[in-house]
């Protein structure tokens, strides 16, 4: 039962956020809260391969951006009523665009993962970064979809029975998707596959000796992670009503890694806390000084050099639990 | 069918160094076959070729009559080839029970399931507890592997290999670094398995080798110079010269 | 033909720049096992410090020692306070800590110099262009960069192959434990290597100043290309850094120079320019992906 306290608390906070924002008259709080939810999903998907699987991917923002672009491209074709490649019609239905975003980013992850996972160590870090940069420049070159400027989405995708013009409604849709996503992720990390993945992080050679073809499992995790990031990106495109190559710039990949580390690598709730810490820090520091990244850099440096296990690790130590 | 393992003309070079030089060797079903030789004779290289971590330059490896020369490591495991590592190689963050459980699960299958609960796989955990119950680690089952003593880690190595239900077990120096008592325990554990599976035992501890081995092969500079019983090996002048001789002197 | 030759020279010039950066980076990784994302920051610091001294004193030449010293000093400082703690850490910690350094250095530069690009004054001797071969006019300053880059390459070759420090460096990039076993003061060796890397980065930064704008973010742009060079060349290999640096410099420059023109042959000019530019940007990454798929450790991997 105690296990349920944290998730229930988190859901309650996020569910009450629009009310709180209205109460204190600060609409920006709801925006901040929504951004935390979406970045938490992206960071959690990265945590699946980085924290549970031990794969240091430095290009995760690419899948986030691909998911966002799927929404943007489908929307622009729906608007212009010109089928994509003359074959597929566009769409503005969230229940259509989200699954397609997941499938497309999953396919991108399948291709990139199948090639990248042949290497390891620093080469893996660099090749994932390289592929992400290639996707970044690919979208910059797509002048039909705005090139560097990206795509403006006039209206958030529609959901039958909901008024998606209302920002609060969009917020709750994001919350529901996020809760579903984290519930699914909970199943994954506690599944048979999750156990194999944790084993691979600790000792790949041993897993091979147990008869596990580690490459396939790593690739599977890589694809699942790409799909998760794509889902988060698709929501982001709906929320911002905008998508651009900046969403997949390599520094965004760096930020996702920072969120995972800040919260606690390989812990379930870490990415949520990490995303919250990062974005709240940005929100208030940026309010106070334009040089907020200096503060972020210093904090990050101190966290990496002097702490182990991020926020959750610190909480554990405070409780006098395991070291 | 009396041979579980047959190696013919196995060859491996690293640059100018011949690590495995035309090695031909067989392990009979049910036997404990020891492989001895001075340091640098190429024993570990040979083991790594057998289990598929290293690819041979030439030669063939048959496991129970099947050519496994070009199979990846994990497929050889499926066919019943188990191994232990010389330097213990465990899942350090997992408990002993989780280590063994994962080894059992890996063999049992269903490893791609993302919607089950691993703790609810009853048959896996029953088998795990059964394996542990018959071992020296029964009361250490909830300790993290990283916290085990060296001797306990060596025992866990063995249990992990057994959990894959091998027909042939490659043991890479299971006694290395063990004290006298622990060595005796390991010898007892291994003798207890005699007849259940075949073993290829690489070991420096001669007492253990002579206590366990049905036959012994001697590897020097990548070549098998002889194969025979303990007495034959002890009395062979070539072995004395190449190996035992240097220790007696 | 003249056009191609000119672009080849441009590629060579960009290539030696990449080499100056990659040489330090590859040694730092090969010997110390540290991924240093902040290497681009040292490049930026060299450019800013040198340019500041050059503009204040009015002498381009005084900027050179200034840029070198500033980059080396910051390098020593970074090594002593941060990098030293990262030797035993995994790659992830190294990536994050040095990523944090990028954020810190960028903001500090903004605080001191602002966001506007600054320009390095060029001595009058470098004005105009000279005729190298009939019909080919080329800016002398770019020739100077090429000369300096090649000189450094030769110098490094002698340092690595003919001196005791070089012997240790070679040993260290193939087998780190061996150097420790030799009883060498590893800490000193690390500091020297890191300082040398910082020095070369500072040199590259300052020399680039008159060609490109000196501005915040200049480090990151070239950092990614430098990493591509290091990975393609093989981590720890100076020779690899040289070959891959020159090769990538030429390929990248050629793509940028000629791809849009080629594309204009079969699409609208504005599209051709946009697509040409981004495909050129993808070029080096594509090349790296291909090389890694064929040789997962790069072309001249040290230590096999």
């Amino acid at each position: 039962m105690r296990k349920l306290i944290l998730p229930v608390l988190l859901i309650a906070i996020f569910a009450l956020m629009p009310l709180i924002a209205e109460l204190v008259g600060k609409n920006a709080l709801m925006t901040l809260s929504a951004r935390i939810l979406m970045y938490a999903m992206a960071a959690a998907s990265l945590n699946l391969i980085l924290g549970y699987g031990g794969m240091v991917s430095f290009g995760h923002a690419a899948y986030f951006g691909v998911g966002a672009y799927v929404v943007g491209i489908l929307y622009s074709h729906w608007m212009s009523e010109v089928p994509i490649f003359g074959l597929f019609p566009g769409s503005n239905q969230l229940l259509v665009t989200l699954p397609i975003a997941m499938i497309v980013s999953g396919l991108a992850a399948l291709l990139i993962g199948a090639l990248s996972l042949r290497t390891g160590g620093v080469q893996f870090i660099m090749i994932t970064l390289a592929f992400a940069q290639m996707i970044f420049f690919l979208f910059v070159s797509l002048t039909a979809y705005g090139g560097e400027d990206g795509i403006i989405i006039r209206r958030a995708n529609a959901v039958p029975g909901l008024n998606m013009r209302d920002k609060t409604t969009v917020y709750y849709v994001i919350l529901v998707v996020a809760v579903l996503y984290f519930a699914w992720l909970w199943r994954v990390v506690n599944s048979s596959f999750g156990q194999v993945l944790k084993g691979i992080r600790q000792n790949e050679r041993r897993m091979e000796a147990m008869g596990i073809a580690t490459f396939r499992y790593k690739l599977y995790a890589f694809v699942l992670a790409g799909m998760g990031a794509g889902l988060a990106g698709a929501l982001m495109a709906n929320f911002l009503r905008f998508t651009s190559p900046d969403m997949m710039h390599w520094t965004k990949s760096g930020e996702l890694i920072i969120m995972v580390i800040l919260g606690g690598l390989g812990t379930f709730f870490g990415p949520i806390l990490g995303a919250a810490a990062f974005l709240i820090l940005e929100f208030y520091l940026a309010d106070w000084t334009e040089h907020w990244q200096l503060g972020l850099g210093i904090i990050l440096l101190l966290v990496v050099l002097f702490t182990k296990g991020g926020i959750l690790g610190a909480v554990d130590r405070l409780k006098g639990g395991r070291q | 069918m009396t041979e579980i393992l047959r190696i013919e003309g196995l060859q491996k070079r690293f640059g100018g160094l011949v690590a495995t030089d035309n090695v031909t060797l067989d392990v009979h079903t049910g036997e404990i076959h020891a492989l001895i030789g001075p340091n640098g004779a190429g024993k570990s290289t040979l083991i790594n070729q057998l289990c598929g971590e290293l690819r041979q330059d030439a030669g063939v490896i048959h496991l129970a009559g099947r050519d496994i020369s070009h199979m990846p490591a994990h497929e050889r495991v499926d066919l019943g080839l188990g191994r232990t590592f010389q330097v213990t190689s465990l899942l350090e963050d997992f408990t002993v029970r989780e280590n063994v459980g994962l080894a059992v699960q890996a063999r049992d299958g269903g490893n791609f399931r993302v919607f089950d609960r691993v703790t609810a796989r009853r048959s896996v955990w029953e088998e795990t507890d059964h394996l542990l119950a018959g071992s020296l680690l029964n009361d250490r089952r909830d300790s993290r592997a990283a916290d085990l003593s060296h001797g306990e880690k060596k025992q866990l190595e063995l249990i992990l290999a057994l959990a894959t239900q091998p027909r042939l077990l490659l043991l890479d120096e299971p006694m290395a670094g063990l004290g006298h008592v622990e060595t005796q325990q390991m010898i007892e554990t291994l003798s207890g398995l005699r007849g259940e599976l075949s073993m290829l035992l690489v070991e420096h501890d001669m007492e253990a080798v002579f206590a366990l081995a049905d036959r012994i092969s001697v590897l020097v500079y990548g070549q098998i110079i002889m194969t025979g019983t303990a007495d034959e090996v002890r009395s062979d002048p070539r072995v004395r010269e190449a190996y035992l001789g240097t220790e007696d002197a | 033909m003249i056009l191609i030759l000119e672009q080849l020279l441009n590629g060579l010039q960009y290539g030696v720049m990449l080499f100056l950066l990659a040489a330090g980076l590859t040694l730092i990784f090969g010997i110390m096992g540290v991924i240093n994302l902040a290497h681009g920051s040292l490049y930026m610091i060299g450019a800013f410090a040198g340019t500041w001294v050059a503009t204040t004193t009015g002498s381009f030449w005084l900027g050179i020692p200034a840029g070198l010293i500033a980059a080396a000093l910051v390098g020593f400082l970074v090594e002593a306070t941060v990098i030293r703690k990262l030797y035993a850490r995994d790659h992830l910690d190294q990536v994050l800590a040095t990523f944090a350094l990028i954020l810190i250095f960028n903001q500090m530069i903004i605080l001191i110099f602002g966001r506007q690009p600054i320009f390095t004054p060029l001595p009058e001797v470098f004005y105009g262009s000279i005729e190298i071969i009939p019909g080919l006019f080329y800016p002398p300053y770019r020739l100077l960069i090429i000369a300096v880059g090649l000189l450094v390459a030769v110098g490094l070759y002698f340092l690595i192959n003919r001196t005791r420090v070089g012997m240790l460096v070679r040993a260290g990039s193939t087998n780190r434990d061996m150097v420790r076993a030799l009883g060498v003061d590893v800490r000193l060796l690390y500091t020297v290597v890191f300082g040398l890397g910082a020095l070369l980065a500072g040199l590259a930064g300052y020399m680039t100043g008159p060609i490109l704008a000196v501005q915040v973010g200049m480090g990151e742009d070239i950092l990614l290309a430098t990493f591509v060079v290091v990975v393609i060349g093989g981590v720890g290999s100076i020779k690899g850094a040289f070959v891959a640096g020159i090769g990538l410099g030429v390929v990248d420059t050629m793509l940028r120079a000629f791809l849009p023109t080629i594309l204009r042959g079969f699409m609208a000019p504005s599209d051709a320019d946009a697509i040409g530019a981004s495909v050129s940007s993808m070029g080096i990454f594509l090349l790296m992906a291909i090389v890694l798929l064929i040789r997962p450790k790069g072309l001249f991997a040290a230590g096999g």
Side-chain angles (χ1 to χ4, degrees):
Chain A
M1 269 300 104
R2 282 194 58 200
K3 271 190 186 168
L4 281 174
I5 295 174
L6 189 55
V8 168
L9 192 69
L10 282 171
I11 294 174
I13 292 174
F14 280 113
L16 290 175
M17 220 50 212
L19 299 176
I20 296 170
E22 201 166 334
L23 222 61
V24 300
K26 237 183 148 179
N27 254 334
L29 277 184
M30 189 171 85
T31 306
L32 175 65
S33 177
R35 277 162 51 84
I36 291 174
L37 281 172
M38 292 178 287
Y39 275 111
M41 289 171 68
S45 71
L46 175 62
N47 189 35
L48 184 67
I49 48 176
L50 187 69
Y52 290 100
M55 290 166 256
V56 185
S57 167
F58 204 158
H60 206 61
Y63 314 107
F64 187 70
V66 167
Y69 260 96
V70 168
V71 171
I73 290 173
L74 286 172
Y75 181 83
S76 72
H77 283 273
W78 176 78
M79 281 292 283
S80 64
E81 297 181 355
V82 179
I84 302 167
F85 303 130
L87 291 172
F88 317 100
S91 172
N92 76 329
Q93 292 295 320
L94 192 73
L95 296 177
V96 174
T97 57
L98 288 194
I100 295 180
M102 289 175 75
I103 290 168
V104 173
S105 40
L107 286 175
L110 178 67
L111 187 69
I112 292 175
L115 297 172
S116 307
L117 287 168
R118 290 158 186 266
T119 67
V122 64
Q123 281 84 5
F124 179 76
I125 301 176
M126 285 302 141
I127 199 171
T128 49
L129 174 63
F131 277 120
Q133 281 300 97
M134 281 165 61
I135 294 187
F136 170 81
F137 285 117
L138 175 71
F139 280 101
V140 170
S141 78
L142 289 181
T143 42
Y145 299 114
E148 263 183 276
D149 302 326
I151 305 172
I152 289 173
I153 301 162
R154 292 236 187 94
R155 259 177 227 155
N157 285 171
V159 180
L162 292 181
N163 175 18
M164 292 292 278
R165 288 189 193 191
D166 176 32
K167 205 82 178 162
T168 314
T169 309
V170 175
Y171 177 87
Y172 281 112
V173 168
I174 292 170
L175 178 60
V176 168
V177 176
V179 169
L180 288 175
Y181 179 71
F182 277 98
W184 173 80
L185 206 56
W186 177 257
R187 305 279 326 226
V188 172
V189 299
N190 290 295
S191 68
S192 294
F193 173 71
Q195 196 78 348
V196 171
L197 192 61
K198 291 175 202 165
I200 290 174
R201 184 201 71 228
Q202 295 172 61
N203 191 337
E204 192 166 346
R205 197 170 173 217
R206 162 56 72 189
M207 296 308 292
E208 286 276 344
M210 284 179 183
I212 293 289
T214 52
F215 178 83
R216 289 174 214 162
Y217 294 84
K218 291 196 312 192
L219 184 56
Y220 189 36
F222 203 87
V223 172
L224 291 181
M227 292 172 78
L231 177 63
L235 290 177
M236 187 62 93
N238 273 290
F239 186 75
L240 298 177
R241 286 183 279 121
F242 173 65
T243 164
S244 84
D246 279 346
M247 293 176 81
M248 50 183 110
H249 194 256
W250 72 278
T251 49
K252 284 280 175 222
S253 297
E255 286 176 9
L256 289 178
I257 300 182
I258 293 174
M259 291 175 192
V260 174
I261 302 293
L262 275 183
L265 186 67
T267 58
F268 187 77
F269 294 105
I272 305 176
L273 299 180
F278 183 95
L279 294 168
I280 292 171
L281 201 67
E282 175 182 353
F283 186 74
Y284 285 104
L285 282 181
D287 230 19
W288 174 54
T289 162
E290 60 163 329
H291 304 292
W292 68 276
Q293 288 197 335
L294 182 61
L296 175 69
I298 293 170
I299 291 171
L300 177 62
L301 193 61
L302 295 177
V303 166
V304 175
L305 291 183
F306 300 108
T307 70
K308 262 280 161 252
I311 295 174
L312 281 180
V315 170
D316 269 359
R317 274 197 300 277
L318 283 179
K319 286 196 300 195
R322 42 178 246 224
Q323 40 156 349
Chain B
M1 181 56 229
T2 55
E3 289 160 356
I4 182 76
L5 179 74
R6 206 174 80 235
I7 310 169
E8 273 168 30
L10 208 63
Q11 195 91 21
K12 181 76 195 174
R13 284 171 172 277
F14 295 109
L17 181 79
V18 186
T20 308
D21 190 0
N22 197 20
V23 165
T24 296
L25 177 79
D26 54 44
V27 176
H28 297 165
T29 305
E31 94 170 320
I32 299 182
H33 192 123
L35 185 67
I36 63 172
N39 280 326
K43 302 185 296 287
S44 285
T45 307
L46 184 60
I47 291 279
N48 287 336
Q49 287 173 84
L50 293 181
C51 71
E53 278 189 11
L54 269 181
R55 245 351 108 80
Q56 67 279 2
D57 299 332
V60 284
I61 306 166
H62 285 275
L63 181 70
R66 264 188 80 169
D67 186 349
I68 61 165
S69 314
H70 302 287
M71 267 183 201
H74 58 88
E75 281 180 29
R76 299 182 196 204
V77 178
D78 293 342
L79 287 180
L81 189 70
R83 74 164 299 181
T84 66
F85 292 91
Q86 184 183 344
V87 178
T88 54
S89 178
L90 306 167
L91 307 172
E92 301 271 336
D93 294 342
F94 274 3
T95 63
V96 169
R97 188 164 180 268
E98 285 169 330
N99 265 278
V100 180
L102 187 48
V104 172
Q105 177 200 322
R107 192 209 71 237
D108 195 48
N111 297 308
F112 276 110
R113 289 180 207 156
V114 286
F115 282 117
D116 68 344
R117 275 178 50 217
V118 71
T119 46
R121 290 184 67 167
R122 188 179 294 170
S123 68
V124 166
W125 295 107
E126 274 174 3
E127 187 179 333
T128 301
D129 291 334
H130 178 73
L131 274 165
L132 280 170
S135 80
L136 295 169
L137 294 178
N138 201 24
D139 47 355
R140 294 286 270 157
R141 60 172 63 203
D142 293 320
S143 304
R144 258 168 31 110
D147 299 334
L148 296 180
S149 73
H150 178 67
E152 289 168 333
K153 285 186 176 181
K154 283 283 192 186
Q155 288 283 342
L156 182 53
E157 273 280 330
L158 183 61
I159 300 171
L160 290 185
L162 292 175
T164 64
Q165 296 187 347
R167 289 192 280 179
L168 172 69
L169 185 54
L170 308 174
L171 295 155
D172 197 353
E173 301 199 22
M175 324 287 170
L178 295 188
H180 182 69
V181 177
E182 291 167 330
T183 303
Q184 289 308 317
Q185 286 173 339
M186 186 60 81
I187 292 176
E188 268 169 44
T189 310
L190 291 179
S191 333
L193 294 167
R194 185 189 295 277
E196 285 178 37
L197 66 165
S198 323
M199 298 180 214
L200 182 64
L201 169 70
V202 170
E203 187 49 63
H204 274 298
D205 186 323
M206 284 307 136
E207 189 195 346
V209 168
F210 290 136
L212 285 167
D214 299 306
R215 286 193 303 157
I216 300 170
S217 291
V218 185
L219 191 70
V220 179
Y221 292 123
Q223 285 180 319
I224 300 277
I225 59 168
M226 74 157 297
T227 297
T229 63
D231 286 336
E232 287 165 355
V233 167
R234 252 189 289 243
S235 58
D236 193 287
R238 287 168 301 173
V239 178
R240 298 193 75 88
E241 184 198 335
Y243 186 73
L244 297 174
T246 56
E247 286 196 353
D248 288 350
Chain C
M1 191 59 209
I2 292 291
L3 204 59
I4 292 179
L5 270 180
E6 188 184 341
Q7 292 301 339
L8 263 179
L9 281 173
N10 282 344
L12 188 61
Q13 178 258 312
Y14 181 45
V16 298
M17 276 295 149
L18 287 177
F19 166 69
L20 287 181
L21 282 163
L25 201 59
T26 204
L27 284 182
I28 290 166
F29 189 81
I31 294 171
M32 297 143 78
V34 172
I35 302 179
N36 178 24
L37 293 186
H39 203 66
S41 298
L42 298 170
Y43 167 87
M44 173 179 74
I45 287 165
F48 270 96
T51 303
W52 181 73
V53 168
T55 6
T56 329
T57 63
S59 162
F60 170 82
W61 303 108
L62 278 181
I64 295 181
L68 290 181
I69 292 170
L73 278 181
V74 174
F76 282 129
L77 191 71
V78 164
E79 200 271 342
T81 54
V82 178
I83 304 290
R84 203 168 275 181
K85 293 194 167 61
L86 297 173
Y87 295 142
R89 300 289 194 88
D90 57 23
H91 292 332
L92 184 58
D93 282 355
Q94 298 170 353
V95 164
L96 277 170
T98 53
F99 189 81
L101 286 178
I102 294 183
L103 298 178
I104 293 171
F105 283 129
N106 279 351
Q107 292 305 317
M108 285 179 30
I109 290 287
I110 291 177
L111 281 172
I112 300 171
F113 293 96
R115 283 184 200 275
Q116 291 303 319
I118 58 176
F119 296 93
T120 318
L122 203 57
E124 270 177 41
V125 282
F126 294 121
Y127 286 0
S129 44
I130 51 174
E131 194 169 17
I132 311 173
I133 54 168
L136 175 57
F137 292 90
Y138 202 71
Y141 183 67
R142 286 180 183 253
L143 289 176
L144 176 74
I145 293 183
I146 295 175
V148 168
L150 294 179
L151 267 178
V152 169
V154 172
L156 275 180
Y157 176 83
F158 277 102
L159 182 75
I160 302 275
N161 289 300
R162 295 278 190 275
T163 66
R164 184 174 148 74
V165 173
M167 188 268 288
L168 293 175
V169 166
R170 263 181 299 143
S173 60
T174 4
N175 190 341
R176 240 175 282 156
D177 297 324
M178 193 171 96
V179 177
R180 285 198 194 104
L182 285 174
V184 173
D185 184 349
V186 176
R187 190 173 264 199
L188 185 66
L189 179 69
Y190 285 3
T191 309
V192 167
V193 168
F194 200 87
L196 180 69
L199 205 69
L200 293 176
L203 176 67
Y206 181 63
M207 300 223 41
T208 311
I211 300 178
L212 303 167
V214 175
Q215 60 185 334
V216 172
M218 65 188 286
E220 284 94 275
D221 292 342
I222 202 159
L223 173 75
L224 291 188
T226 307
F227 263 110
V228 171
V229 169
V230 169
V231 171
I232 288 185
V235 164
S237 164
I238 292 274
K239 187 170 145 200
F242 185 74
V243 174
I246 303 285
L248 275 189
V250 170
V251 168
D252 188 69
T253 308
M254 289 298 184
L255 279 176
R256 279 175 209 283
F258 299 114
L259 193 62
T261 324
I262 296 170
L263 288 178
R264 273 167 188 242
F266 41 92
M267 58 176 75
S270 62
D271 281 355
D273 290 352
I275 292 175
S278 357
V279 173
S280 313
S281 308
M282 289 166 71
I284 56 168
F285 296 110
L286 192 64
L287 202 62
M288 165 163 132
I290 293 169
V291 168
L292 281 189
L293 293 177
I294 299 167
R295 299 193 59 141
K297 299 262 177 208
L299 295 177
F300 301 92

